[in-house]
Amino acid sequence: MLSTVEMSRLTMAGSSDNLDEALRLCANLGNVHIKPYSGSTDGISVGTPHPDADDVSTLLAKVRSVNSVLRCSNKEGPMSSKKVKDAISGKFPAKVDSITEVIAKKSDAEAEISKLTERVAILTTIAPLNLPVELMTEIASVDVYLGETSKASKATQVFGELSSRVEMHVAENVIAVACQGKDAAEVQMALGELGAKSIQIPSGKGKPSKLLEQASKDIDILEKTVADCDSEMQTWSQSNGRMLMAVQEHLERESEILTGHTLCATSAHAFALEAWLPTSEADKARSVFSKVSSHLTIEAFVDDHHGHGHDDEHGHETEYPPIEYDTLAATRHASLLTNLVGRPKYGTIDPTSIIAFTFPIFYGLILGDAGYGLVIMLLALFLKSKIGHDPVGATASRILMNMGIATFIVGVLTAEAFGFVIEKWDAFVWLYEPMYSGTKYALQDTVFIEWFGLSHTYLPFHRAGGALQDYILLSIYVGCAHLLVGFIIGFINVFKAHGIVPAFFEKGSWLMILIGGSGHILRFITDSSYDTFEGSMWSYTVIAGVVCLIIGLAVYEGFGWLGGLIMGPIETFGLLANTLSYLRIMAVGVAGVKIAEIGNEMGFHGMADSISSGDYIFAIALFFLWIGVQVFALALGLLSPSIHAIRLHFVEWMGKFHDGSGEEFKPLGGRSLHVEGH
């Protein structure tokens, strides 16, 4: 759950006659990630694609082009491989060609409409001149200029005596000037003085009004063509969309197999390839590949690199296997978030399962409104109904649903719904009276009050009211706990890679600083007799942690002693900034509460007062104001808490342990989604 799939290295060599079959067997297994060959040895080169690869690529390009326009979907599940192959060898390529022609026809029509629309705009502008177009374009001995200006009435004044040497027509805001070449410069200067915008003279013969009428008719014809094409494309998509998705997946798989030769080392008579596959599949792979290889080894990857600086000293880096997630099905959706900062390095702890829980919890702690939580859950269900057939869409809707659930739960605990405090509402008295009486004194005379200062932590938790101070403290405590988990994960990662001593100085030092610093500050807050620079086990732990950090930076991180002495104390204050960053849980949460609260005061309560006083028109205006504020608060609630919750994970937390350099595991032939029975 907290680690990735264990990988083994596969090395295979055999006769070049068996390469095609070997690659197909790799694809059939569905779990072989081939490493590209990049060596340079005499007599050995990168393989060349299979001769059939060009035909497959050509058809694949057509299918992808069609799918990029039609955006087909498959909500009915995978199709059999035999059915897909029969379609490809049958009439389906012709169907693809036919719809490609329709798409091209629509594209041409839209391009022509765009040109005609520009022509209509120009003709509409110059129509008031009522001059035949050929008169402005077919007389070679004169230059004709058209311009549009709001100062057309001043044209005679601006042109002055030049008017006697040119032919000028003015209608509304349009000026047409015909002149000899020697007067062209003066005409352009005069038009510039009028601020005239140049108009390109359209082609054609006849008056603009007649040409405008013809252009409008042409647009109508082309728009009908576009509508007919759209209808034909929609019908085709409904009839063939599922098959198109399956064919594209099949062709992509075939293309990878037929071009897989370029990943292998080949000679005149033999081939060799290196790959990764899950260790659990090693026995099966060994029995399958033994038939097409003369040499075959499958060895589990073992990272024997336990000394810091090992790579640098020997001039090479350890080649790690690609990363395949091994999370539970219930938490696999969170891999979408982990991928945003990169897959974990092989052999380190995978934070995906933890993020699956902590991200929605942080989001819920920030937004924390039962009403908004219900809306978000409904939005998640809507998205699932629309894009749930796509893996990314299903994952996104799952994450959104978890965010909504967490928001709803926190909203119930804080007695907030759409910015209203619902604790005293008659419909909820049955819930909150027992909740209040059962938790009001639950923490009395416990360490939560004496040590942690949580004197107002009971339910319902009024975070923007009497419990604001506790809300601040809880945000800090959540941050300390979150960072503590991050440093523990980092400690384990370094311990597994380099041993206990580097782990202690690199991550153990941070654990000492975090624990000691948290204890020191907590004592200062809750104990009035405790001084800022009080000597205690907490402060001594911080000092010891800083010393260990300096050693870790100097010896194990390569900073040197001078760098360690300088950076150690500086980075300690960076940890303080990381911890205080969790105050955004409180700050953004309270800001959201106040926005909704102000909207309710101005809109809802104002509307109620207006109705009571009989001012119904003003009440309607206030109703729309209230709805507008609620929509704004919800939109802000979807965006802002998401950003801050993600930041707390990616920057403050994962920065303490996550490498993010893992390569994605990509089996040859891809993963089957629309085709079964490969």
Side-chain angles (χ1 to χ4, degrees):
M1 184 174 73
L2 295 178
S3 61
T4 56
V5 174
E6 294 184 2
M7 292 288 169
S8 292
R9 187 194 303 270
L10 180 150
T11 305
M12 178 169 55
S15 170
S16 57
D17 294 336
N18 293 328
L19 178 55
D20 293 338
E21 186 178 356
L23 291 172
R24 190 160 295 278
L25 289 174
C26 288
N28 290 342
L29 282 175
N31 51 26
V32 180
H33 175 108
I34 299 180
K35 294 166 46 184
Y37 172 71
S38 58
S40 56
T41 304
D42 291 341
I44 299 177
S45 61
V46 174
T48 56
H50 190 279
D52 294 340
D54 288 340
D55 293 337
V56 171
S57 296
T58 300
L59 180 56
L60 177 59
K62 292 180 181 179
V63 170
R64 282 174 171 168
S65 177
V66 170
N67 201 13
S68 67
V69 176
L70 300 184
R71 298 189 178 278
C72 299
S73 62
N74 176 16
K75 299 182 180 181
E76 301 174 31
M79 305 179 71
S80 69
S81 176
K82 182 179 183 305
K83 189 174 182 179
V84 175
K85 291 177 181 178
D86 290 343
I88 293 174
S89 60
K91 298 180 179 180
F92 194 76
K95 291 182 179 181
V96 172
D97 290 337
S98 66
I99 197 62
T100 299
E101 293 176 1
V102 174
I103 292 172
K105 183 178 179 181
K106 177 190 174 184
S107 179
D108 293 342
E110 288 176 335
E112 191 62 28
I113 288 174
S114 179
K115 293 179 182 178
L116 287 173
T117 301
E118 294 179 4
R119 180 177 175 83
V120 165
I122 294 173
L123 290 171
T124 301
T125 302
I126 67 174
L129 292 173
N130 201 30
L131 294 174
V133 173
E134 67 270 18
L135 192 64
M136 296 182 278
T137 59
E138 296 184 358
I139 302 177
S141 59
V142 297
D143 294 335
V144 179
Y145 297 93
L146 287 180
E148 184 179 14
T149 176
S150 59
K151 302 177 182 178
S153 59
K154 300 180 180 179
T156 303
Q157 177 183 348
V158 171
F159 273 77
E161 63 87 19
L162 182 61
S163 301
S164 61
R165 291 184 278 128
V166 301
E167 183 71 23
M168 182 169 61
H169 291 266
V170 179
E172 297 182 2
N173 291 335
V174 184
I175 302 175
V177 182
C179 65
Q180 294 181 341
K182 63 180 181 179
D183 297 321
E186 291 185 65
V187 169
Q188 292 180 41
M189 291 177 62
L191 290 173
E193 187 175 344
L194 288 170
K197 179 182 176 182
S198 178
I199 300 174
Q200 183 179 1
I201 302 173
S203 59
K205 292 184 178 181
K207 292 188 176 181
S209 57
K210 184 178 180 180
L211 295 176
L212 181 60
E213 181 181 352
Q214 183 60 46
S216 299
K217 289 180 180 179
D218 292 341
I219 289 177
D220 291 339
I221 294 172
L222 290 169
E223 286 179 343
K224 185 178 184 304
T225 299
V226 171
D228 292 342
C229 290
D230 281 334
S231 177
E232 191 171 347
M233 289 161 58
Q234 184 177 1
T235 302
W236 194 96
S237 179
Q238 292 173 350
S239 302
N240 303 284
R242 183 185 177 206
M243 178 60 75
L244 184 73
M245 298 290 289
V247 167
Q248 178 173 329
E249 181 179 288
H250 176 80
L251 292 175
E252 287 173 343
R253 179 178 186 272
E254 287 297 306
S255 179
E256 285 195 30
I257 295 172
L258 296 175
T259 59
H261 306 66
T262 60
L263 303 174
C264 306
T266 61
S267 65
H269 304 289
F271 77 90
L273 66 82
E274 283 189 319
W276 296 101
L277 77 162
T279 301
S280 60
E281 300 292 328
D283 292 339
K284 182 179 179 181
R286 192 175 285 109
S287 65
V288 169
F289 291 129
S290 60
K291 304 172 185 177
V292 294
S293 62
S294 57
H295 171 80
L296 177 66
T297 60
I298 301 178
E299 299 176 339
F301 175 80
V302 177
D303 185 7
D304 56 0
H305 166 49
H306 291 294
H308 257 255
H310 177 89
D311 292 344
D312 294 335
E313 291 172 6
H314 292 77
H316 68 86
E317 293 185 2
T318 301
E319 183 181 7
Y320 288 96
I323 300 301
E324 174 78 337
Y325 289 113
D326 192 25
T327 58
L328 298 174
T331 61
R332 193 164 297 148
H333 59 275
S335 61
L336 181 67
L337 299 175
T338 306
N339 286 339
L340 294 176
V341 288
R343 299 193 174 211
K345 182 180 178 181
Y346 187 84
T348 62
I349 290 179
D350 175 18
T352 301
S353 295
I354 299 175
I355 294 174
F357 291 99
T358 55
F359 172 74
I361 289 174
F362 281 21
Y363 179 89
L365 288 173
I366 295 173
L367 186 55
D369 186 286
Y372 296 150
L374 284 173
V375 173
I376 293 172
M377 285 190 280
L378 292 174
L379 179 60
L381 291 174
F382 173 76
L383 289 178
K384 185 177 181 180
S385 68
K386 294 297 182 182
I387 59 176
H389 58 276
D390 181 78
V392 176
T395 298
S397 60
R398 174 69 181 278
I399 293 174
L400 190 63
M401 175 59 75
N402 290 348
M403 292 161 58
I405 292 172
T407 301
F408 177 78
I409 292 173
V410 175
V412 170
L413 298 179
T414 57
E416 295 174 14
F418 298 110
F420 294 103
V421 177
I422 61 175
E423 178 185 1
K424 302 297 184 181
W425 289 14
D426 292 341
F428 301 105
V429 169
W430 64 271
L431 173 64
Y432 288 109
E433 282 192 354
M435 186 184 292
Y436 175 80
S437 59
T439 60
K440 171 65 176 176
Y441 303 105
L443 300 182
Q444 192 171 3
D445 299 326
T446 67
V447 295
F448 288 98
I449 294 179
E450 182 180 354
W451 291 3
F452 297 101
L454 301 176
S455 58
H456 286 79
T457 301
Y458 49 82
L459 301 177
F461 185 77
H462 298 301
R463 53 182 178 159
L468 179 59
Q469 180 175 326
D470 285 30
Y471 193 27
I472 295 172
L473 292 174
L474 283 171
S475 298
I476 296 297
Y477 297 155
V478 167
C480 290
H482 201 221
L483 291 173
L484 180 65
V485 172
F487 281 124
I488 291 174
I489 294 175
F491 182 92
I492 295 172
N493 286 343
V494 178
F495 170 71
K496 290 168 64 177
H498 307 296
I500 186 64
V501 176
F504 172 76
F505 283 105
E506 286 188 36
K507 300 300 180 181
S509 57
W510 284 113
L511 286 169
M512 295 170 66
I513 295 171
L514 176 62
I515 295 172
S518 299
H520 182 76
I521 295 173
L522 184 60
R523 280 287 306 277
F524 177 77
I525 293 174
T526 58
D527 187 350
S528 59
S529 64
Y530 192 85
D531 294 332
T532 305
F533 300 102
E534 181 87 16
S536 66
M537 70 171 188
W538 303 115
S539 56
Y540 295 145
T541 301
V542 173
I543 294 172
V546 173
V547 172
C548 292
L549 176 61
I550 292 172
I551 296 173
L553 291 172
V555 177
Y556 297 101
E557 296 290 342
F559 281 82
W561 287 106
L562 179 60
L565 288 169
I566 295 173
M567 294 302 299
I570 292 176
E571 292 206 13
T572 301
F573 287 101
L575 177 59
L576 176 62
N578 290 152
T579 307
L580 293 178
S581 182
Y582 284 82
L583 282 172
R584 67 185 66 239
I585 294 176
M586 175 277 303
V588 180
V590 171
V593 171
K594 291 302 180 182
I595 289 174
E597 185 179 300
I598 292 172
N600 291 338
E601 285 293 330
M602 295 176 60
F604 187 84
H605 295 299
M607 176 185 65
D609 293 340
S610 297
I611 292 174
S612 299
S613 62
D615 192 351
Y616 297 110
I617 295 178
F618 192 52
I620 293 173
L622 289 175
F623 171 76
F624 284 109
L625 172 65
W626 177 60
I627 293 297
V629 173
Q630 289 292 335
V631 171
F632 171 76
L634 178 60
L636 190 65
L638 282 169
L639 181 64
S640 182
S642 301
I643 293 173
H644 290 291
I646 286 175
R647 182 212 153 84
L648 290 176
H649 282 82
F650 290 178
V651 179
E652 270 69 35
W653 187 58
M654 296 177 75
K656 305 298 179 283
F657 65 90
H658 191 68
D659 187 300
S661 62
E663 177 189 359
E664 180 183 358
F665 180 78
K666 295 181 178 179
L668 184 72
R671 302 186 187 280
S672 180
L673 181 63
H674 304 291
V675 183
E676 61 183 2
H678 274 142

